[in-house]
Amino acid sequence: MVTEATASQDVHATAPGEDLSGLTAAASRFAADITFADLDAEVRHLSKRCLIDGLGVMLAGSEQPGMAALEAFIAGEGGTGVSRMLGAAARRLPATRAALWAGTAGHAMDWDDTQLAEGPGRPYGLLMHPTVPPLAAALAVSDLVATEEGKPVGGERFFTAFNAGFEVACKIAEAINPDHYMRGFHTSGTIGTFAAATTAAKLLGLDAAGIARTLGVAASMAAGIRAGFGTMTKPLHVGRAAENGVTAALLVRQGFTANEEALDGKWGYLAVAGPGGEPSLVRERFGKPFTMASPGVSIKPYPSGVLTHPSMDALLFLLREAGLAPDDIARVTLRAGRNVLGPIRYRIAKTELEGKFSFAFLLAAIVLRGRCGKAEFTDAFVASPACQAMQQRVETAFDQQIEDMGWDRIRSRVVVETKDGRTLERWADENYRGSPHNPLSDAEVEGKFRDCAAGLLDAAGVDALLQSIWNSDGLDDAGVLLEQLSWRK
């Protein structure tokens, strides 16, 4: 478990005798050697679920308020258009900007999937969002490669590159000291850069040495700090991860040099940004098993941080079982440890972006609407008098008993006080909905996609796109996904 003592260590320190070598080489060899045949039926099925989820949240995110400013920035930059813009396939952008756009959209609602930890001392649910960075890179670079080669990128090639980036990043996230996140780095922005870099390099046909150099360039571009949570900057972290990963691969293809051991050693990424880490946990385990399969990923039922979901469900189920209406509620108190309360920073949310990191808003939405989805995450609903008033009735409290249970799971309990004097309690289910221990069904994943697509694609378009994704490994042209995702001129 991360402690205050570990958080005060020198950022450049490594433990005596700590072996930080060999991770870059192992990651690069894995990415260079992986073929579609290495993906078994389980990984292929899970990949399709991740694609449905990732493309869905990209679609929903492409209409979020912050995207207007990003679109104006991209338009002002210009450049040679080779890659289709997600949501507006008639528009072509430079591959780096197409990746920036898709990656930012994919995290704009904080609804993308979450990697689970498996190593000792790793706080559960605090690694990275693994799908969007490599998926954004795969979409953008596939278009670039298709233009250069004069033929489309097929589903097997697209699938393999996506999985290469997904797996490399998840293993790096597992290896790095968890103090990386606790100090304030946003792992999806930092480690996500390595995901996009690996996927881009694989699609561009770079060999193991080229992928190692790409990771070397990416290591000097990987960024994102948690101070941006609750603002438009947080999703930009993931967009920049995708853009920087593509940039790194394209630079290396042009002959750009970099340290081929940039994840390793005294001044490598793990030592500097961790500090330290345990490459031995993962160095010989790339694809053995694939992280996507074990310990797995969480597909989010709610567009907020995964740490909030068990508590939201606990309140939802308690209200249903007790038959309580909003006017019955006098007070709601959420009791949890630091791993749950610490990252959720806003006492009262004034905007939907703040709402993603405000238990007052998230639980108020459950009370008022009995749900918390795309329709609730709007500035208008967050700022409404009813929502602001209900937020005032929601509090959080540190609970030492829950803290002492450890951070290996997301633990909390909700306490509801009613206006007629009753006090009702419910513990959150450690096997929360969406986790690998209690996964959303395929139908529920499709249902989430339909929610994301609401108002953007018609029912026939959604059905056709879902069919394409379920058959994506057999597509002759993976670019059809971008065409079917288009909802704008």
Side-chain angles (χ1 to χ4, degrees):
M1 181 184 298
V2 180
T3 66
E4 291 182 2
T6 59
S8 65
Q9 293 174 351
D10 177 8
V11 74
H12 297 292
T14 57
E18 192 170 29
D19 179 11
L20 297 182
S21 67
L23 185 60
T24 317
S28 301
R29 285 195 303 269
F30 165 79
D33 292 345
I34 186 175
T35 67
F36 181 74
D38 296 318
L39 308 176
D40 64 22
E42 180 186 16
V43 170
R44 293 198 300 272
H45 182 78
L46 291 171
S47 296
K48 293 170 185 178
R49 286 168 53 91
C50 288
L51 291 183
I52 290 172
D53 192 56
L55 293 172
V57 297
M58 285 179 177
L59 180 63
S62 67
E63 65 167 345
Q64 291 302 296
M67 299 303 290
L70 181 59
E71 183 173 5
F73 165 75
I74 291 173
E77 288 284 293
T80 303
V82 293
S83 298
R84 282 166 284 192
M85 182 178 183
L86 186 137
R91 297 179 58 183
R92 294 267 178 169
L93 306 174
T96 52
R97 293 308 196 214
L100 171 65
W101 173 262
T104 305
H107 198 54
M109 295 196 71
D110 212 325
W111 213 352
D112 42 331
D113 57 8
T114 304
Q115 175 193 358
L116 301 187
E118 60 179 335
R122 270 69 178 157
Y124 188 90
L126 286 181
L127 290 184
M128 66 172 291
H129 298 279
T131 287
V132 169
L135 178 55
L139 292 168
V141 176
S142 289
D143 266 356
L144 171 65
V145 169
T147 299
E148 292 179 344
E149 296 182 357
K151 60 181 180 180
V153 171
E156 289 191 4
R157 184 176 177 183
F158 182 94
F159 234 65
T160 305
F162 166 72
N163 273 280
F166 190 110
E167 175 69 359
V168 164
C170 284
K171 288 298 195 283
I172 294 172
E174 189 68 53
I176 201 167
N177 191 319
D179 199 34
H180 178 74
Y181 184 90
M182 303 310 291
R183 281 174 175 257
F185 285 105
H186 180 203
T187 323
S188 300
T190 56
I191 310 302
T193 308
F194 300 117
T198 303
T199 290
K202 181 71 173 178
L203 280 167
L204 292 171
L206 300 186
D207 61 12
I211 295 173
R213 289 193 292 275
T214 300
L215 293 174
V217 176
S220 286
M221 304 174 81
I225 57 174
R226 286 166 57 196
F229 284 20
T231 74
M232 293 176 184
T233 301
K234 183 177 189 281
L236 183 68
H237 294 167
V238 179
R240 288 285 286 171
E243 177 187 39
N244 287 340
V246 173
T247 299
L250 291 174
L251 284 171
V252 169
R253 190 176 68 159
Q254 295 296 332
F256 212 78
T257 64
N259 189 320
E260 294 183 18
E261 297 178 325
L263 297 175
D264 312 304
K266 182 178 180 181
W267 291 316
Y269 192 81
L270 266 66
V272 173
E278 298 179 83
S280 60
L281 290 174
V282 304
R283 198 163 38 213
E284 306 302 324
R285 295 179 53 243
F286 286 95
K288 302 175 184 177
F290 284 88
T291 299
M292 186 183 292
S294 179
V297 297
S298 294
I299 292 182
K300 290 184 174 184
Y302 300 114
S304 58
V306 70
L307 294 174
T308 67
H309 295 178
S311 304
M312 295 165 73
D313 270 353
L315 179 59
L316 177 65
F317 300 149
L318 186 154
L319 295 176
R320 286 178 178 173
E321 291 165 1
L324 296 176
D327 288 344
D328 298 324
I329 307 300
R331 185 175 306 279
V332 176
T333 303
L334 172 71
R335 304 188 65 86
R338 288 179 299 146
N339 63 317
V340 171
L341 299 181
I344 312 304
R345 58 184 296 194
Y346 292 97
R347 168 66 188 93
I348 300 292
K350 301 296 184 184
T351 68
E352 67 94 9
L353 287 170
E354 292 179 356
K356 297 178 184 300
F357 300 92
S358 168
F359 270 119
F361 166 71
L362 297 169
L363 298 182
I366 293 294
V367 172
L368 293 171
R369 294 278 184 87
R371 53 169 282 139
C372 195
K374 180 178 174 180
E376 285 67 47
F377 279 90
T378 66
D379 287 344
F381 176 68
V382 175
S384 68
C387 185
Q388 288 294 307
M390 187 58 70
Q391 287 191 64
Q392 297 293 336
R393 300 187 218 170
V394 179
E395 297 180 350
T396 61
F398 173 75
D399 191 307
Q400 188 64 53
Q401 176 191 3
I402 296 175
E403 178 81 3
D404 291 343
M405 293 179 182
W407 295 0
D408 59 313
R409 289 293 178 92
I410 306 172
R411 298 183 174 94
S412 66
R413 62 188 174 97
V414 293
V415 181
V416 175
E417 300 171 51
T418 65
K419 291 180 180 178
D420 62 8
R422 290 176 290 163
T423 299
L424 308 174
E425 296 188 11
R426 184 178 177 116
W427 279 85
D429 188 346
E430 295 178 8
N431 296 326
Y432 60 92
R433 283 192 310 132
S435 74
H437 313 288
N438 184 15
L440 300 182
S441 67
D442 288 351
E444 288 174 320
V445 174
E446 289 188 358
K448 177 180 172 180
F449 185 93
R450 294 180 191 281
D451 192 8
C452 289
L456 304 179
L457 300 179
D458 60 27
V462 170
D463 290 342
L465 182 50
L466 287 171
Q467 183 176 4
S468 292
I469 300 172
W470 284 122
N471 296 325
S472 53
D473 51 348
L475 292 174
D476 293 328
D477 179 5
V480 71
L481 300 175
L482 281 168
E483 291 294 336
Q484 292 178 311
L485 280 163
S486 187
W487 62 275
R488 300 170 52 191
K489 296 294 185 182

